[in-house]
PDB file of all heavy atoms in Angstrom:
ATOM      1  N   VAL A   1     227.693 170.063  18.730  1.00 95.00           N
ATOM      2  CA  VAL A   1     227.599 171.489  18.454  1.00 95.00           C
ATOM      3  C   VAL A   1     226.333 171.782  17.660  1.00 95.00           C
ATOM      4  O   VAL A   1     225.938 171.025  16.778  1.00 95.00           O
ATOM      5  CB  VAL A   1     228.833 172.031  17.701  1.00 95.00           C
ATOM      6  CG1 VAL A   1     230.075 171.914  18.561  1.00 95.00           C
ATOM      7  CG2 VAL A   1     229.042 171.310  16.386  1.00 95.00           C
ATOM      8  N   GLU A   2     225.718 172.901  18.004  1.00 92.00           N
ATOM      9  CA  GLU A   2     224.524 173.363  17.303  1.00 92.00           C
ATOM     10  C   GLU A   2     224.720 174.750  16.718  1.00 92.00           C
ATOM     11  O   GLU A   2     223.896 175.211  15.933  1.00 92.00           O
ATOM     12  CB  GLU A   2     223.335 173.384  18.269  1.00 92.00           C
ATOM     13  CG  GLU A   2     222.976 172.020  18.823  1.00 92.00           C
ATOM     14  CD  GLU A   2     221.886 172.087  19.868  1.00 92.00           C
ATOM     15  OE1 GLU A   2     221.998 172.925  20.789  1.00 92.00           O
ATOM     16  OE2 GLU A   2     220.924 171.320  19.754  1.00 92.00           O
ATOM     17  N   SER A   3     225.792 175.419  17.113  1.00 90.00           N
ATOM     18  CA  SER A   3     226.048 176.769  16.619  1.00 90.00           C
ATOM     19  C   SER A   3     227.548 177.003  16.535  1.00 90.00           C
ATOM     20  O   SER A   3     228.345 176.302  17.178  1.00 90.00           O
ATOM     21  CB  SER A   3     225.418 177.812  17.546  1.00 90.00           C
ATOM     22  OG  SER A   3     226.131 177.866  18.774  1.00 90.00           O
ATOM     23  N   GLY A   4     227.900 178.009  15.733  1.00 89.00           N
ATOM     24  CA  GLY A   4     229.307 178.382  15.644  1.00 89.00           C
ATOM     25  C   GLY A   4     229.847 178.817  16.993  1.00 89.00           C
ATOM     26  O   GLY A   4     231.030 178.628  17.301  1.00 89.00           O
ATOM     27  N   ALA A   5     228.987 179.402  17.817  1.00 88.00           N
ATOM     28  CA  ALA A   5     229.416 179.839  19.148  1.00 88.00           C
ATOM     29  C   ALA A   5     229.887 178.664  19.996  1.00 88.00           C
ATOM     30  O   ALA A   5     230.807 178.805  20.807  1.00 88.00           O
ATOM     31  CB  ALA A   5     228.269 180.571  19.844  1.00 88.00           C
ATOM     32  N   ASP A   6     229.265 177.492  19.813  1.00 91.00           N
ATOM     33  CA  ASP A   6     229.686 176.305  20.564  1.00 91.00           C
ATOM     34  C   ASP A   6     231.149 175.981  20.294  1.00 91.00           C
ATOM     35  O   ASP A   6     231.901 175.609  21.203  1.00 91.00           O
ATOM     36  CB  ASP A   6     228.823 175.103  20.181  1.00 91.00           C
ATOM     37  CG  ASP A   6     227.379 175.243  20.605  1.00 91.00           C
ATOM     38  OD1 ASP A   6     227.116 176.022  21.540  1.00 91.00           O
ATOM     39  OD2 ASP A   6     226.522 174.584  20.003  1.00 91.00           O
ATOM     40  N   ILE A   7     231.560 176.106  19.029  1.00 94.00           N
ATOM     41  CA  ILE A   7     232.942 175.803  18.660  1.00 94.00           C
ATOM     42  C   ILE A   7     233.883 176.886  19.176  1.00 94.00           C
ATOM     43  O   ILE A   7     234.939 176.606  19.760  1.00 94.00           O
ATOM     44  CB  ILE A   7     233.069 175.666  17.137  1.00 94.00           C
ATOM     45  CG1 ILE A   7     232.268 174.455  16.646  1.00 94.00           C
ATOM     46  CG2 ILE A   7     234.535 175.527  16.716  1.00 94.00           C
ATOM     47  CD1 ILE A   7     232.212 174.310  15.149  1.00 94.00           C
ATOM     48  N   LEU A   8     233.500 178.145  18.979  1.00 91.00           N
ATOM     49  CA  LEU A   8     234.373 179.240  19.393  1.00 91.00           C
ATOM     50  C   LEU A   8     234.583 179.255  20.896  1.00 91.00           C
ATOM     51  O   LEU A   8     235.664 179.606  21.372  1.00 91.00           O
ATOM     52  CB  LEU A   8     233.784 180.572  18.926  1.00 91.00           C
ATOM     53  CG  LEU A   8     233.811 180.786  17.406  1.00 91.00           C
ATOM     54  CD1 LEU A   8     233.124 182.092  17.046  1.00 91.00           C
ATOM     55  CD2 LEU A   8     235.237 180.776  16.875  1.00 91.00           C
ATOM     56  N   GLU A   9     233.582 178.852  21.662  1.00 88.00           N
ATOM     57  CA  GLU A   9     233.744 178.788  23.114  1.00 88.00           C
ATOM     58  C   GLU A   9     234.811 177.765  23.504  1.00 88.00           C
ATOM     59  O   GLU A   9     235.624 177.999  24.399  1.00 88.00           O
ATOM     60  CB  GLU A   9     232.413 178.429  23.777  1.00 88.00           C
ATOM     61  CG  GLU A   9     231.414 179.570  23.794  1.00 88.00           C
ATOM     62  CD  GLU A   9     230.036 179.133  24.264  1.00 88.00           C
ATOM     63  OE1 GLU A   9     229.922 177.972  24.718  1.00 88.00           O
ATOM     64  OE2 GLU A   9     229.096 179.938  24.176  1.00 88.00           O
ATOM     65  N   GLU A  10     234.799 176.617  22.827  1.00 88.00           N
ATOM     66  CA  GLU A  10     235.777 175.575  23.126  1.00 88.00           C
ATOM     67  C   GLU A  10     237.191 176.013  22.746  1.00 88.00           C
ATOM     68  O   GLU A  10     238.174 175.667  23.395  1.00 88.00           O
ATOM     69  CB  GLU A  10     235.426 174.287  22.386  1.00 88.00           C
ATOM     70  CG  GLU A  10     234.197 173.578  22.909  1.00 88.00           C
ATOM     71  CD  GLU A  10     234.412 173.005  24.305  1.00 88.00           C
ATOM     72  OE1 GLU A  10     235.561 172.711  24.664  1.00 88.00           O
ATOM     73  OE2 GLU A  10     233.411 172.863  25.030  1.00 88.00           O
ATOM     74  N   LEU A  11     237.290 176.770  21.654  1.00 84.00           N
ATOM     75  CA  LEU A  11     238.600 177.168  21.145  1.00 84.00           C
ATOM     76  C   LEU A  11     238.927 178.613  21.508  1.00 84.00           C
ATOM     77  O   LEU A  11     239.814 179.210  20.915  1.00 84.00           O
ATOM     78  CB  LEU A  11     238.635 177.001  19.624  1.00 84.00           C
ATOM     79  CG  LEU A  11     238.363 175.579  19.108  1.00 84.00           C
ATOM     80  CD1 LEU A  11     238.378 175.564  17.582  1.00 84.00           C
ATOM     81  CD2 LEU A  11     239.375 174.590  19.653  1.00 84.00           C
ATOM     82  N   GLN A  12     238.220 179.159  22.494  1.00 71.00           N
ATOM     83  CA  GLN A  12     238.344 180.579  22.805  1.00 71.00           C
ATOM     84  C   GLN A  12     239.783 180.985  23.107  1.00 71.00           C
ATOM     85  O   GLN A  12     240.242 182.044  22.686  1.00 71.00           O
ATOM     86  CB  GLN A  12     237.449 180.926  24.002  1.00 71.00           C
ATOM     87  CG  GLN A  12     237.375 182.415  24.305  1.00 71.00           C
ATOM     88  CD  GLN A  12     236.356 182.705  25.396  1.00 71.00           C
ATOM     89  OE1 GLN A  12     235.847 181.786  26.030  1.00 71.00           O
ATOM     90  NE2 GLN A  12     236.061 183.976  25.617  1.00 71.00           N
ATOM     91  N   ALA A  13     240.488 180.155  23.830  1.00 59.00           N
ATOM     92  CA  ALA A  13     241.856 180.506  24.193  1.00 59.00           C
ATOM     93  C   ALA A  13     242.769 180.583  22.985  1.00 59.00           C
ATOM     94  O   ALA A  13     243.804 181.254  23.018  1.00 59.00           O
ATOM     95  CB  ALA A  13     242.412 179.492  25.187  1.00 59.00           C
ATOM     96  N   LEU A  14     242.379 179.876  21.908  1.00 52.00           N
ATOM     97  CA  LEU A  14     243.207 179.856  20.706  1.00 52.00           C
ATOM     98  C   LEU A  14     242.699 180.814  19.645  1.00 52.00           C
ATOM     99  O   LEU A  14     243.325 180.983  18.613  1.00 52.00           O
ATOM    100  CB  LEU A  14     243.215 178.441  20.113  1.00 52.00           C
ATOM    101  CG  LEU A  14     243.672 177.333  21.057  1.00 52.00           C
ATOM    102  CD1 LEU A  14     243.507 175.984  20.383  1.00 52.00           C
ATOM    103  CD2 LEU A  14     245.123 177.550  21.453  1.00 52.00           C
ATOM    104  N   SER A  15     241.557 181.452  19.891  1.00 46.00           N
ATOM    105  CA  SER A  15     240.902 182.267  18.869  1.00 46.00           C
ATOM    106  C   SER A  15     241.695 183.523  18.590  1.00 46.00           C
ATOM    107  O   SER A  15     242.140 184.211  19.510  1.00 46.00           O
ATOM    108  CB  SER A  15     239.495 182.653  19.308  1.00 46.00           C
ATOM    109  OG  SER A  15     238.861 183.453  18.355  1.00 46.00           O
ATOM    110  N   PRO A  16     241.882 183.872  17.306  1.00 45.00           N
ATOM    111  CA  PRO A  16     242.570 185.102  16.963  1.00 45.00           C
ATOM    112  C   PRO A  16     241.707 186.304  17.303  1.00 45.00           C
ATOM    113  O   PRO A  16     240.488 186.223  17.344  1.00 45.00           O
ATOM    114  CB  PRO A  16     242.767 184.996  15.446  1.00 45.00           C
ATOM    115  CG  PRO A  16     241.654 184.122  14.994  1.00 45.00           C
ATOM    116  CD  PRO A  16     241.424 183.144  16.116  1.00 45.00           C
ATOM    117  N   THR A  17     242.350 187.439  17.581  1.00 40.00           N
ATOM    118  CA  THR A  17     241.612 188.673  17.794  1.00 40.00           C
ATOM    119  C   THR A  17     241.039 189.138  16.478  1.00 40.00           C
ATOM    120  O   THR A  17     241.781 189.318  15.509  1.00 40.00           O
ATOM    121  CB  THR A  17     242.546 189.761  18.365  1.00 40.00           C
ATOM    122  OG1 THR A  17     243.100 189.286  19.587  1.00 40.00           O
ATOM    123  CG2 THR A  17     241.777 191.044  18.616  1.00 40.00           C
ATOM    124  N   PRO A  18     239.724 189.339  16.379  1.00 40.00           N
ATOM    125  CA  PRO A  18     239.146 189.744  15.104  1.00 40.00           C
ATOM    126  C   PRO A  18     239.679 191.081  14.638  1.00 40.00           C
ATOM    127  O   PRO A  18     239.870 192.003  15.432  1.00 40.00           O
ATOM    128  CB  PRO A  18     237.636 189.831  15.406  1.00 40.00           C
ATOM    129  CG  PRO A  18     237.440 189.005  16.635  1.00 40.00           C
ATOM    130  CD  PRO A  18     238.704 189.137  17.409  1.00 40.00           C
ATOM    131  N   SER A  19     239.950 191.167  13.353  1.00 38.00           N
ATOM    132  CA  SER A  19     240.355 192.429  12.761  1.00 38.00           C
ATOM    133  C   SER A  19     239.129 193.301  12.611  1.00 38.00           C
ATOM    134  O   SER A  19     237.991 192.831  12.724  1.00 38.00           O
ATOM    135  CB  SER A  19     240.974 192.175  11.386  1.00 38.00           C
ATOM    136  OG  SER A  19     239.987 191.672  10.509  1.00 38.00           O
ATOM    137  N   PRO A  20     239.275 194.625  12.328  1.00 33.00           N
ATOM    138  CA  PRO A  20     238.103 195.458  12.101  1.00 33.00           C
ATOM    139  C   PRO A  20     237.206 194.904  11.008  1.00 33.00           C
ATOM    140  O   PRO A  20     235.998 194.998  11.088  1.00 33.00           O
ATOM    141  CB  PRO A  20     238.718 196.809  11.705  1.00 33.00           C
ATOM    142  CG  PRO A  20     240.041 196.822  12.392  1.00 33.00           C
ATOM    143  CD  PRO A  20     240.519 195.392  12.354  1.00 33.00           C
ATOM    144  N   GLN A  21     237.803 194.300   9.973  1.00 35.00           N
ATOM    145  CA  GLN A  21     236.996 193.742   8.890  1.00 35.00           C
ATOM    146  C   GLN A  21     236.105 192.619   9.417  1.00 35.00           C
ATOM    147  O   GLN A  21     234.941 192.492   9.037  1.00 35.00           O
ATOM    148  CB  GLN A  21     237.911 193.200   7.786  1.00 35.00           C
ATOM    149  CG  GLN A  21     237.142 192.586   6.623  1.00 35.00           C
ATOM    150  CD  GLN A  21     238.076 191.992   5.597  1.00 35.00           C
ATOM    151  OE1 GLN A  21     239.281 191.925   5.793  1.00 35.00           O
ATOM    152  NE2 GLN A  21     237.522 191.559   4.488  1.00 35.00           N
ATOM    153  N   VAL A  22     236.654 191.797  10.320  1.00 36.00           N
ATOM    154  CA  VAL A  22     235.868 190.712  10.889  1.00 36.00           C
ATOM    155  C   VAL A  22     234.806 191.262  11.831  1.00 36.00           C
ATOM    156  O   VAL A  22     233.649 190.882  11.777  1.00 36.00           O
ATOM    157  CB  VAL A  22     236.782 189.728  11.656  1.00 36.00           C
ATOM    158  CG1 VAL A  22     235.952 188.659  12.336  1.00 36.00           C
ATOM    159  CG2 VAL A  22     237.790 189.106  10.709  1.00 36.00           C
ATOM    160  N   ALA A  23     235.215 192.212  12.695  1.00 33.00           N
ATOM    161  CA  ALA A  23     234.289 192.731  13.689  1.00 33.00           C
ATOM    162  C   ALA A  23     233.088 193.392  13.036  1.00 33.00           C
ATOM    163  O   ALA A  23     231.981 193.356  13.564  1.00 33.00           O
ATOM    164  CB  ALA A  23     235.008 193.732  14.597  1.00 33.00           C
ATOM    165  N   ASN A  24     233.264 193.992  11.887  1.00 33.00           N
ATOM    166  CA  ASN A  24     232.164 194.677  11.219  1.00 33.00           C
ATOM    167  C   ASN A  24     231.092 193.729  10.734  1.00 33.00           C
ATOM    168  O   ASN A  24     229.986 194.164  10.391  1.00 33.00           O
ATOM    169  CB  ASN A  24     232.691 195.499  10.040  1.00 33.00           C
ATOM    170  CG  ASN A  24     233.432 196.739  10.512  1.00 33.00           C
ATOM    171  OD1 ASN A  24     233.251 197.182  11.638  1.00 33.00           O
ATOM    172  ND2 ASN A  24     234.280 197.287   9.660  1.00 33.00           N
ATOM    173  N   THR A  25     231.386 192.449  10.642  1.00 33.00           N
ATOM    174  CA  THR A  25     230.382 191.498  10.162  1.00 33.00           C
ATOM    175  C   THR A  25     229.603 190.858  11.311  1.00 33.00           C
ATOM    176  O   THR A  25     228.714 190.070  11.077  1.00 33.00           O
ATOM    177  CB  THR A  25     231.056 190.370   9.354  1.00 33.00           C
ATOM    178  OG1 THR A  25     231.883 189.607  10.221  1.00 33.00           O
ATOM    179  CG2 THR A  25     231.884 190.918   8.217  1.00 33.00           C
ATOM    180  N   THR A  26     229.959 191.183  12.562  1.00 34.00           N
ATOM    181  CA  THR A  26     229.291 190.577  13.702  1.00 34.00           C
ATOM    182  C   THR A  26     227.843 191.056  13.794  1.00 34.00           C
ATOM    183  O   THR A  26     227.548 192.236  13.645  1.00 34.00           O
ATOM    184  CB  THR A  26     230.052 190.939  14.992  1.00 34.00           C
ATOM    185  OG1 THR A  26     231.392 190.498  14.867  1.00 34.00           O
ATOM    186  CG2 THR A  26     229.415 190.264  16.195  1.00 34.00           C
ATOM    187  N   VAL A  27     226.937 190.147  14.081  1.00 51.00           N
ATOM    188  CA  VAL A  27     225.528 190.502  14.211  1.00 51.00           C
ATOM    189  C   VAL A  27     225.336 191.354  15.458  1.00 51.00           C
ATOM    190  O   VAL A  27     225.795 190.998  16.530  1.00 51.00           O
ATOM    191  CB  VAL A  27     224.653 189.243  14.300  1.00 51.00           C
ATOM    192  CG1 VAL A  27     223.194 189.617  14.535  1.00 51.00           C
ATOM    193  CG2 VAL A  27     224.793 188.439  13.042  1.00 51.00           C
ATOM    194  N   ARG A  28     224.615 192.462  15.335  1.00 40.00           N
ATOM    195  CA  ARG A  28     224.352 193.353  16.464  1.00 40.00           C
ATOM    196  C   ARG A  28     222.873 193.298  16.821  1.00 40.00           C
ATOM    197  O   ARG A  28     222.037 192.814  16.074  1.00 40.00           O
ATOM    198  CB  ARG A  28     224.765 194.782  16.098  1.00 40.00           C
ATOM    199  CG  ARG A  28     226.250 194.934  15.787  1.00 40.00           C
ATOM    200  CD  ARG A  28     226.570 196.380  15.494  1.00 40.00           C
ATOM    201  NE  ARG A  28     225.898 196.836  14.293  1.00 40.00           N
ATOM    202  CZ  ARG A  28     226.378 196.684  13.061  1.00 40.00           C
ATOM    203  NH1 ARG A  28     227.530 196.084  12.882  1.00 40.00           N
ATOM    204  NH2 ARG A  28     225.720 197.136  12.009  1.00 40.00           N
ATOM    205  N   ASP A  29     222.528 193.874  17.990  1.00 40.00           N
ATOM    206  CA  ASP A  29     221.129 193.872  18.419  1.00 40.00           C
ATOM    207  C   ASP A  29     220.235 194.588  17.424  1.00 40.00           C
ATOM    208  O   ASP A  29     219.057 194.282  17.292  1.00 40.00           O
ATOM    209  CB  ASP A  29     221.009 194.528  19.801  1.00 40.00           C
ATOM    210  CG  ASP A  29     221.588 193.635  20.890  1.00 40.00           C
ATOM    211  OD1 ASP A  29     221.731 192.428  20.618  1.00 40.00           O
ATOM    212  OD2 ASP A  29     221.883 194.139  21.970  1.00 40.00           O
ATOM    213  N   GLY A  30     220.806 195.550  16.697  1.00 45.00           N
ATOM    214  CA  GLY A  30     219.998 196.311  15.756  1.00 45.00           C
ATOM    215  C   GLY A  30     219.935 195.704  14.373  1.00 45.00           C
ATOM    216  O   GLY A  30     219.517 196.362  13.421  1.00 45.00           O
ATOM    217  N   ASP A  31     220.371 194.455  14.232  1.00 75.00           N
ATOM    218  CA  ASP A  31     220.352 193.799  12.926  1.00 75.00           C
ATOM    219  C   ASP A  31     218.947 193.846  12.332  1.00 75.00           C
ATOM    220  O   ASP A  31     217.962 193.542  13.004  1.00 75.00           O
ATOM    221  CB  ASP A  31     220.805 192.348  13.093  1.00 75.00           C
ATOM    222  CG  ASP A  31     220.902 191.633  11.760  1.00 75.00           C
ATOM    223  OD1 ASP A  31     219.850 191.188  11.273  1.00 75.00           O
ATOM    224  OD2 ASP A  31     222.010 191.529  11.227  1.00 75.00           O
ATOM    225  N   ALA A  32     218.850 194.182  11.030  1.00 82.00           N
ATOM    226  CA  ALA A  32     217.541 194.365  10.394  1.00 82.00           C
ATOM    227  C   ALA A  32     216.714 193.084  10.406  1.00 82.00           C
ATOM    228  O   ALA A  32     215.487 193.128  10.570  1.00 82.00           O
ATOM    229  CB  ALA A  32     217.734 194.868   8.964  1.00 82.00           C
ATOM    230  N   VAL A  33     217.354 191.929  10.234  1.00 86.00           N
ATOM    231  CA  VAL A  33     216.608 190.671  10.220  1.00 86.00           C
ATOM    232  C   VAL A  33     216.078 190.362  11.612  1.00 86.00           C
ATOM    233  O   VAL A  33     214.938 189.901  11.779  1.00 86.00           O
ATOM    234  CB  VAL A  33     217.484 189.519   9.688  1.00 86.00           C
ATOM    235  CG1 VAL A  33     216.732 188.203   9.747  1.00 86.00           C
ATOM    236  CG2 VAL A  33     217.925 189.809   8.263  1.00 86.00           C
ATOM    237  N   LEU A  34     216.882 190.605  12.642  1.00 86.00           N
ATOM    238  CA  LEU A  34     216.401 190.390  14.002  1.00 86.00           C
ATOM    239  C   LEU A  34     215.225 191.311  14.304  1.00 86.00           C
ATOM    240  O   LEU A  34     214.243 190.905  14.933  1.00 86.00           O
ATOM    241  CB  LEU A  34     217.533 190.636  15.004  1.00 86.00           C
ATOM    242  CG  LEU A  34     218.614 189.554  15.105  1.00 86.00           C
ATOM    243  CD1 LEU A  34     219.729 190.023  16.025  1.00 86.00           C
ATOM    244  CD2 LEU A  34     218.033 188.245  15.589  1.00 86.00           C
ATOM    245  N   ASP A  35     215.320 192.548  13.852  1.00 83.00           N
ATOM    246  CA  ASP A  35     214.212 193.474  14.069  1.00 83.00           C
ATOM    247  C   ASP A  35     212.946 192.982  13.381  1.00 83.00           C
ATOM    248  O   ASP A  35     211.841 193.058  13.936  1.00 83.00           O
ATOM    249  CB  ASP A  35     214.573 194.867  13.543  1.00 83.00           C
ATOM    250  CG  ASP A  35     215.647 195.544  14.397  1.00 83.00           C
ATOM    251  OD1 ASP A  35     215.836 195.109  15.554  1.00 83.00           O
ATOM    252  OD2 ASP A  35     216.290 196.480  13.904  1.00 83.00           O
ATOM    253  N   ALA A  36     213.113 192.461  12.147  1.00 85.00           N
ATOM    254  CA  ALA A  36     211.952 191.984  11.392  1.00 85.00           C
ATOM    255  C   ALA A  36     211.345 190.735  12.025  1.00 85.00           C
ATOM    256  O   ALA A  36     210.139 190.501  11.920  1.00 85.00           O
ATOM    257  CB  ALA A  36     212.358 191.706   9.945  1.00 85.00           C
ATOM    258  N   LEU A  37     212.151 189.934  12.692  1.00 86.00           N
ATOM    259  CA  LEU A  37     211.639 188.727  13.334  1.00 86.00           C
ATOM    260  C   LEU A  37     210.680 189.053  14.476  1.00 86.00           C
ATOM    261  O   LEU A  37     209.721 188.318  14.721  1.00 86.00           O
ATOM    262  CB  LEU A  37     212.803 187.887  13.889  1.00 86.00           C
ATOM    263  CG  LEU A  37     213.489 186.932  12.917  1.00 86.00           C
ATOM    264  CD1 LEU A  37     214.818 186.468  13.501  1.00 86.00           C
ATOM    265  CD2 LEU A  37     212.606 185.740  12.622  1.00 86.00           C
ATOM    266  N   GLY A  38     210.943 190.131  15.170  1.00 83.00           N
ATOM    267  CA  GLY A  38     210.149 190.393  16.372  1.00 83.00           C
ATOM    268  C   GLY A  38     210.454 189.327  17.412  1.00 83.00           C
ATOM    269  O   GLY A  38     211.587 188.851  17.526  1.00 83.00           O
ATOM    270  N   HIS A  39     209.417 188.899  18.139  1.00 78.00           N
ATOM    271  CA  HIS A  39     209.645 187.891  19.186  1.00 78.00           C
ATOM    272  C   HIS A  39     208.687 186.710  19.069  1.00 78.00           C
ATOM    273  O   HIS A  39     208.671 185.844  19.943  1.00 78.00           O
ATOM    274  CB  HIS A  39     209.533 188.537  20.568  1.00 78.00           C
ATOM    275  CG  HIS A  39     210.632 189.511  20.848  1.00 78.00           C
ATOM    276  ND1 HIS A  39     211.887 189.139  21.287  1.00 78.00           N
ATOM    277  CD2 HIS A  39     210.680 190.856  20.689  1.00 78.00           C
ATOM    278  CE1 HIS A  39     212.649 190.203  21.420  1.00 78.00           C
ATOM    279  NE2 HIS A  39     211.942 191.259  21.076  1.00 78.00           N
ATOM    280  N   ASP A  40     207.895 186.674  18.013  1.00 79.00           N
ATOM    281  CA  ASP A  40     206.975 185.564  17.785  1.00 79.00           C
ATOM    282  C   ASP A  40     207.443 184.733  16.599  1.00 79.00           C
ATOM    283  O   ASP A  40     208.136 185.236  15.698  1.00 79.00           O
ATOM    284  CB  ASP A  40     205.556 186.083  17.515  1.00 79.00           C
ATOM    285  CG  ASP A  40     204.957 186.777  18.734  1.00 79.00           C
ATOM    286  OD1 ASP A  40     205.183 186.275  19.855  1.00 79.00           O
ATOM    287  OD2 ASP A  40     204.284 187.814  18.550  1.00 79.00           O
ATOM    288  N   PRO A  41     207.089 183.430  16.540  1.00 85.00           N
ATOM    289  CA  PRO A  41     207.463 182.605  15.396  1.00 85.00           C
ATOM    290  C   PRO A  41     206.952 183.216  14.093  1.00 85.00           C
ATOM    291  O   PRO A  41     205.851 183.776  14.041  1.00 85.00           O
ATOM    292  CB  PRO A  41     206.778 181.268  15.692  1.00 85.00           C
ATOM    293  CG  PRO A  41     206.624 181.249  17.174  1.00 85.00           C
ATOM    294  CD  PRO A  41     206.350 182.664  17.563  1.00 85.00           C
TER     295      PRO A  41
END
């Protein structure tokens, strides 16, 4: 595994449905850090 997504994919069938509190912490396309990164190193 290299990311948390690798684990969640394997355990997807057992994964609990995220509560609103959990869902609010999910990274979105408009995340400020992603925006600041741009697309270059």
Side-chain angles (χ1 to χ4, degrees):
V1 295
E2 298 175 311
S3 71
D6 293 337
I7 295 174
L8 291 176
E9 286 171 8
E10 289 292 334
L11 301 178
Q12 187 174 9
L14 304 175
S15 179
T17 301
S19 66
Q21 179 183 7
V22 176
N24 287 340
T25 66
T26 303
V27 176
R28 298 182 295 274
D29 288 341
D31 184 279
V33 177
L34 285 174
D35 290 341
L37 275 165
H39 293 278
D40 294 321

